[in-house]
Amino acid sequence: MPLEAYGVLSGTLHRHFRDQPDSQGRWFHVNLEVDAPAGRYRCAVDVDSKQSATGVQWKVFTLAASVLEPASTLAPGFHELSMTSGSGAIDYLRHPAFADRSGCLSVRRPPAWLERLLARLNPPRPWISGSTLEATQALEGILLPGRPIMVFGEPFDAGLGMHNIHQNQGDPYGSQWWDDNGVWQDGATLTRRPDGRYDVFLNKFSTQADHTDGAGHPA
């Protein structure tokens, strides 16, 4: 079954800080403090390598605000989103602005002219694999205090905050996260540049599949 709730927090980045050792159990987070009308939210971005030198993977790139609609047009605050295409939800494998064309399954290869057009509209963005520290530094590169920010993920059960800010599908059968698999519920961190475009940080784990079925399970 998917996450119990999913949505996007729109606000202003106040600051960020790294976990101290063992402050969040086994997993390491970069914590974002985001100001919104309801107060200051804490958003815990999981960049833990899961005890592996290459267990965490990430991408950093820039997108126009228009391709993020309707999420980019929402007022400051937390907004619950339906886990469907067109709601503003993010799916790393299905959203046209995020999906890696090289990872898409297709019956046949498109003609060369179409491949060139697709490359301009959505250039290949391979996942980078590395350590927790490297992933942390990549995320911190887009975290400028005072920037407008959108954080996608699951809200805390109590208090102002969000977690599950990472890919939330493709976890293998038998893992503790299998039951959380679902489509159109991936987490992400986006900060708005002065020119109106968004810097995007996506993060996942090497154990998560790059192809999933309609339930978000590995295909």
Coordinates of all heavy atoms in Angstrom, one line a residue, residues 2-9 71 74 78-92 95 98 150-157 161-169 180 182-190 202:
P2 N 0.4 2.4 -0.5 CA 1.2 3.6 -0.6 C 1.3 4.3 0.7 O 0.8 3.8 1.8 CB 0.4 4.4 -1.6 CG -1.0 4.0 -1.5 CD -0.9 2.5 -1.1
L3 N 2.0 5.4 0.7 CA 2.1 6.2 1.9 C 0.7 6.6 2.5 O -0.3 6.7 1.7 CB 2.9 7.5 1.6 CG 4.3 7.3 1.1 CD1 4.9 8.7 0.8 CD2 5.2 6.5 2.1
E4 N 0.6 6.9 3.8 CA -0.7 7.2 4.3 C -1.1 8.6 3.9 O -2.3 8.9 3.8 CB -0.6 7.2 5.9 CG -0.4 5.8 6.4 CD -0.4 5.7 7.9 OE1 -0.7 6.8 8.5 OE2 -0.2 4.7 8.5
A5 N -0.2 9.5 3.6 CA -0.5 10.9 3.2 C 0.7 11.3 2.3 O 1.8 10.9 2.5 CB -0.8 11.8 4.3
Y6 N 0.4 12.3 1.4 CA 1.5 12.8 0.5 C 1.1 14.2 0.1 O -0.1 14.5 0.0 CB 1.6 11.9 -0.7 CG 2.5 12.4 -1.8 CD1 3.9 12.3 -1.6 CD2 2.0 13.0 -2.9 CE1 4.8 12.7 -2.6 CE2 2.9 13.5 -3.9 CZ 4.3 13.4 -3.7 OH 5.2 13.8 -4.7
G7 N 2.1 15.0 0.0 CA 1.8 16.4 -0.4 C 3.1 17.2 -0.6 O 4.2 16.7 -0.6
V8 N 2.9 18.5 -0.8 CA 4.0 19.4 -1.0 C 3.9 20.6 0.0 O 2.8 21.1 0.2 CB 4.0 20.0 -2.5 CG1 2.7 20.7 -2.8 CG2 5.2 20.9 -2.7
L9 N 5.0 20.9 0.5 CA 5.1 22.1 1.4 C 5.8 23.2 0.6 O 6.9 23.1 0.1 CB 6.0 21.8 2.6 CG 6.3 23.0 3.5 CD1 5.1 23.6 4.2 CD2 7.4 22.6 4.6
A71 N 1.7 22.4 -8.9 CA 2.4 22.5 -7.6 C 3.1 23.9 -7.5 O 3.0 24.5 -6.4 CB 3.4 21.4 -7.4
L74 N 0.9 26.9 -6.2 CA 0.2 26.9 -4.9 C 0.7 27.9 -4.0 O 1.9 28.3 -4.0 CB 0.3 25.5 -4.3 CG -0.3 24.3 -5.1 CD1 0.1 23.0 -4.5 CD2 -1.8 24.4 -5.2
F78 N 1.3 23.8 3.5 CA 1.3 22.4 3.1 C 0.0 22.1 2.3 O -1.1 22.5 2.8 CB 1.4 21.5 4.3 CG 1.3 20.0 3.9 CD1 2.4 19.4 3.3 CD2 0.1 19.3 4.1 CE1 2.3 18.0 2.9 CE2 0.0 18.0 3.7 CZ 1.1 17.4 3.1
H79 N 0.1 21.4 1.2 CA -1.0 21.0 0.4 C -1.0 19.5 0.2 O 0.0 19.0 -0.4 CB -1.0 21.7 -1.0 CG -0.9 23.2 -0.8 ND1 -2.0 24.0 -0.8 CD2 0.2 24.0 -0.7 CE1 -1.7 25.3 -0.7 NE2 -0.3 25.3 -0.6
E80 N -2.0 18.8 0.6 CA -2.1 17.4 0.3 C -2.4 17.2 -1.2 O -3.2 17.9 -1.8 CB -3.2 16.7 1.1 CG -3.1 15.2 1.0 CD -3.9 14.5 2.1 OE1 -4.3 15.1 3.1 OE2 -4.1 13.2 2.0
L81 N -1.7 16.2 -1.8 CA -1.9 15.9 -3.2 C -2.4 14.5 -3.4 O -1.9 13.6 -2.7 CB -0.5 16.1 -4.0 CG 0.1 17.5 -3.9 CD1 1.5 17.4 -4.5 CD2 -0.7 18.6 -4.5
S82 N -3.3 14.3 -4.4 CA -3.7 13.0 -4.7 C -2.5 12.3 -5.5 O -1.8 13.0 -6.2 CB -4.9 13.0 -5.6 OG -4.7 13.7 -6.8
M83 N -2.4 11.0 -5.3 CA -1.2 10.3 -5.9 C -1.6 9.9 -7.3 O -1.7 8.7 -7.6 CB -0.9 9.1 -5.0 CG -0.5 9.6 -3.6 SD -0.3 8.2 -2.5 CE -0.4 9.0 -0.9
T84 N -1.8 10.9 -8.2 CA -2.2 10.7 -9.5 C -1.5 11.7 -10.4 O -1.0 12.7 -10.0 CB -3.7 10.9 -9.7 OG1 -4.1 12.2 -9.3 CG2 -4.5 9.8 -8.9
S85 N -1.4 11.3 -11.7 CA -0.8 12.2 -12.7 C -1.7 13.5 -12.8 O -2.9 13.4 -12.8 CB -0.7 11.5 -14.0 OG -0.4 12.4 -15.1
G86 N -1.1 14.6 -12.9 CA -1.8 15.9 -13.1 C -2.1 16.6 -11.8 O -2.6 17.8 -11.8
S87 N -2.0 16.0 -10.6 CA -2.3 16.6 -9.4 C -1.2 17.5 -8.8 O -1.5 18.3 -7.9 CB -2.6 15.5 -8.3 OG -1.3 14.9 -7.9
G88 N 0.0 17.5 -9.5 CA 1.1 18.1 -8.9 C 2.1 17.2 -8.3 O 3.2 17.6 -7.9
A89 N 1.7 15.9 -8.1 CA 2.5 14.9 -7.5 C 3.7 14.6 -8.4 O 3.7 14.8 -9.6 CB 1.7 13.7 -7.2
I90 N 4.8 14.1 -7.7 CA 6.0 13.7 -8.5 C 6.1 12.2 -8.5 O 5.9 11.5 -7.5 CB 7.2 14.4 -7.8 CG1 7.3 15.9 -8.0 CG2 8.5 13.7 -8.3 CD1 8.4 16.6 -7.4
D91 N 6.5 11.7 -9.6 CA 6.9 10.3 -9.8 C 8.2 10.3 -10.7 O 8.2 10.7 -11.8 CB 5.8 9.6 -10.6 CG 6.0 8.1 -10.6 OD1 7.1 7.6 -11.1 OD2 5.1 7.3 -10.2
Y92 N 9.3 9.8 -10.1 CA 10.5 9.9 -10.8 C 10.5 9.1 -12.1 O 11.3 9.4 -13.0 CB 11.6 9.2 -9.9 CG 12.0 9.9 -8.6 CD1 11.4 11.1 -8.2 CD2 13.1 9.4 -7.8 CE1 11.8 11.8 -7.1 CE2 13.5 10.1 -6.7 CZ 12.9 11.2 -6.3 OH 13.3 11.9 -5.2
H95 N 6.6 11.0 -14.3 CA 6.4 12.4 -14.6 C 7.3 12.8 -15.8 O 8.5 12.6 -15.8 CB 6.8 13.3 -13.4 CG 6.3 14.7 -13.5 ND1 6.8 15.6 -14.4 CD2 5.4 15.4 -12.7 CE1 6.3 16.8 -14.2 NE2 5.4 16.7 -13.2
F98 N 10.7 14.5 -15.0 CA 11.6 13.8 -14.2 C 12.1 12.4 -14.7 O 13.2 12.0 -14.4 CB 11.0 13.6 -12.8 CG 10.7 14.8 -12.0 CD1 9.5 15.5 -12.2 CD2 11.6 15.4 -11.1 CE1 9.2 16.7 -11.5 CE2 11.4 16.5 -10.5 CZ 10.2 17.2 -10.6
M150 N 10.0 24.2 -2.3 CA 9.0 23.2 -2.3 C 9.6 21.9 -1.9 O 10.6 21.5 -2.4 CB 8.3 23.1 -3.7 CG 7.5 24.3 -4.2 SD 6.5 23.9 -5.6 CE 7.7 23.4 -6.9
V151 N 8.9 21.3 -0.9 CA 9.4 20.0 -0.4 C 8.2 19.0 -0.6 O 7.1 19.2 -0.1 CB 9.8 20.1 1.0 CG1 10.4 18.7 1.5 CG2 10.9 21.1 1.2
F152 N 8.5 17.9 -1.3 CA 7.5 16.9 -1.5 C 7.8 15.7 -0.6 O 9.0 15.3 -0.5 CB 7.5 16.4 -3.0 CG 7.0 17.4 -4.0 CD1 7.9 18.5 -4.4 CD2 5.8 17.4 -4.5 CE1 7.4 19.4 -5.3 CE2 5.3 18.3 -5.4 CZ 6.2 19.3 -5.8
G153 N 6.8 15.1 0.0 CA 7.0 14.0 0.8 C 5.7 13.7 1.7 O 4.6 14.1 1.3
E154 N 5.9 13.0 2.8 CA 4.8 12.7 3.7 C 4.9 13.5 5.0 O 6.0 13.7 5.6 CB 5.0 11.2 4.1 CG 3.8 10.7 5.0 CD 3.9 9.2 5.3 OE1 5.0 8.7 5.3 OE2 2.9 8.6 5.6
P155 N 3.8 14.1 5.4 CA 3.8 14.9 6.6 C 3.9 14.1 7.8 O 3.6 12.9 7.9 CB 2.4 15.6 6.5 CG 1.5 14.7 5.8 CD 2.4 14.1 4.7
F156 N 4.5 14.7 8.8 CA 4.6 14.0 10.1 C 3.2 13.7 10.7 O 2.2 14.5 10.4 CB 5.3 14.9 11.2 CG 6.8 15.1 10.9 CD1 7.5 16.1 11.6 CD2 7.5 14.2 10.1 CE1 8.9 16.2 11.4 CE2 8.9 14.4 9.9 CZ 9.6 15.4 10.6
D157 N 3.1 12.7 11.5 CA 1.8 12.4 12.1 C 1.5 13.4 13.1 O 0.3 13.7 13.4 CB 1.9 11.0 12.8 CG 2.0 9.8 11.8 OD1 1.5 10.0 10.7 OD2 2.5 8.8 12.2
G161 N 6.1 19.2 10.0 CA 7.3 18.6 9.4 C 7.0 17.5 8.4 O 5.8 17.2 8.2
M162 N 8.0 17.1 7.7 CA 7.8 16.1 6.6 C 9.0 15.2 6.6 O 10.1 15.5 7.0 CB 7.7 16.8 5.2 CG 6.5 17.8 5.1 SD 6.5 18.6 3.5 CE 6.1 17.2 2.4
H163 N 8.7 13.9 6.1 CA 9.7 12.9 5.9 C 9.4 12.2 4.7 O 8.6 12.6 3.9 CB 9.9 12.0 7.2 CG 8.6 11.2 7.4 ND1 8.7 9.9 7.9 CD2 7.3 11.5 7.3 CE1 7.5 9.4 8.1 NE2 6.6 10.4 7.7
N164 N 10.1 11.0 4.5 CA 10.0 10.3 3.2 C 10.2 11.2 2.0 O 9.5 11.1 1.0 CB 8.6 9.6 3.1 CG 8.6 8.3 3.9 OD1 9.6 7.6 4.0 ND2 7.5 8.0 4.5
I165 N 11.3 12.0 2.1 CA 11.6 13.0 1.0 C 12.7 12.3 0.2 O 13.9 12.6 0.3 CB 12.1 14.3 1.6 CG1 11.0 14.9 2.6 CG2 12.4 15.3 0.5 CD1 11.5 16.0 3.4
H166 N 12.2 11.3 -0.6 CA 13.1 10.5 -1.5 C 12.2 9.7 -2.3 O 10.9 9.8 -2.2 CB 14.0 9.6 -0.6 CG 13.4 8.8 0.4 ND1 12.5 7.8 0.2 CD2 13.5 8.9 1.8 CE1 12.1 7.3 1.3 NE2 12.6 8.0 2.3
Q167 N 12.7 8.8 -3.2 CA 11.9 7.9 -4.0 C 11.1 7.0 -3.1 O 11.7 6.5 -2.1 CB 12.8 7.1 -5.0 CG 11.9 6.1 -5.8 CD 12.8 5.5 -6.9 OE1 13.4 6.2 -7.7 NE2 12.7 4.2 -7.0
N168 N 9.9 6.9 -3.3 CA 9.0 6.0 -2.5 C 8.3 4.9 -3.3 O 7.1 4.6 -3.2 CB 7.9 6.9 -1.8 CG 8.5 7.8 -0.8 OD1 9.2 7.4 0.1 ND2 8.3 9.1 -0.9
Q169 N 9.1 4.3 -4.1 CA 8.7 3.1 -4.9 C 9.9 2.3 -5.3 O 11.0 2.8 -5.2 CB 7.9 3.6 -6.2 CG 8.8 4.4 -7.1 CD 8.0 4.8 -8.4 OE1 7.4 4.0 -9.0 NE2 8.0 6.1 -8.7
D180 N 5.3 0.6 1.7 CA 5.2 2.0 1.4 C 5.3 2.2 -0.1 O 5.1 3.4 -0.6 CB 6.3 2.8 2.1 CG 6.1 2.9 3.6 OD1 4.9 2.7 4.0 OD2 7.1 3.1 4.3
G182 N 4.5 2.9 -3.9 CA 3.4 3.4 -4.6 C 3.8 4.3 -5.7 O 5.0 4.8 -5.7
V183 N 2.9 4.6 -6.6 CA 3.3 5.5 -7.7 C 2.8 6.9 -7.4 O 1.9 7.1 -6.6 CB 2.7 5.0 -9.0 CG1 3.3 3.7 -9.4 CG2 1.2 5.0 -9.0
W184 N 3.4 7.9 -8.0 CA 3.0 9.3 -7.9 C 3.0 9.8 -6.4 O 2.1 10.4 -5.9 CB 1.6 9.6 -8.5 CG 1.7 9.5 -10.0 CD1 1.2 8.4 -10.7 CD2 2.3 10.4 -10.9 NE1 1.5 8.6 -12.1 CE2 2.1 9.8 -12.2 CE3 2.9 11.6 -10.8 CZ2 2.6 10.5 -13.4 CZ3 3.3 12.3 -11.9 CH2 3.2 11.7 -13.2
Q185 N 4.1 9.4 -5.7 CA 4.3 9.8 -4.3 C 5.7 10.0 -3.9 O 6.1 9.8 -2.8 CB 3.6 8.8 -3.4 CG 4.2 7.4 -3.5 CD 3.8 6.4 -2.4 OE1 2.8 6.6 -1.7 NE2 4.6 5.4 -2.2
D186 N 6.6 10.3 -4.9 CA 8.0 10.4 -4.6 C 8.3 11.8 -4.0 O 7.6 12.8 -4.3 CB 8.8 10.3 -5.9 CG 8.8 8.9 -6.4 OD1 8.7 7.9 -5.6 OD2 8.9 8.6 -7.6
G187 N 9.3 11.8 -3.1 CA 9.7 13.0 -2.5 C 10.8 13.8 -3.3 O 11.5 13.2 -4.1
A188 N 10.9 15.0 -3.0 CA 11.9 15.9 -3.7 C 12.1 17.2 -3.0 O 11.2 17.6 -2.3 CB 11.5 16.1 -5.2
T189 N 13.2 17.8 -3.3 CA 13.5 19.2 -2.7 C 13.8 20.1 -3.9 O 14.7 19.8 -4.7 CB 14.7 19.1 -1.8 OG1 14.5 18.1 -0.8 CG2 14.9 20.4 -1.1
L190 N 13.1 21.2 -3.9 CA 13.2 22.2 -5.0 C 13.3 23.6 -4.5 O 12.5 24.0 -3.7 CB 12.1 22.1 -6.0 CG 11.8 20.8 -6.7 CD1 10.9 19.9 -5.9 CD2 11.1 21.0 -8.1
L202 N 16.8 15.3 -6.4 CA 16.1 14.0 -6.3 C 17.1 13.0 -5.6 O 18.3 13.0 -5.9 CB 15.7 13.4 -7.6 CG 14.9 14.3 -8.6 CD1 14.5 13.5 -9.8 CD2 13.7 14.9 -7.9

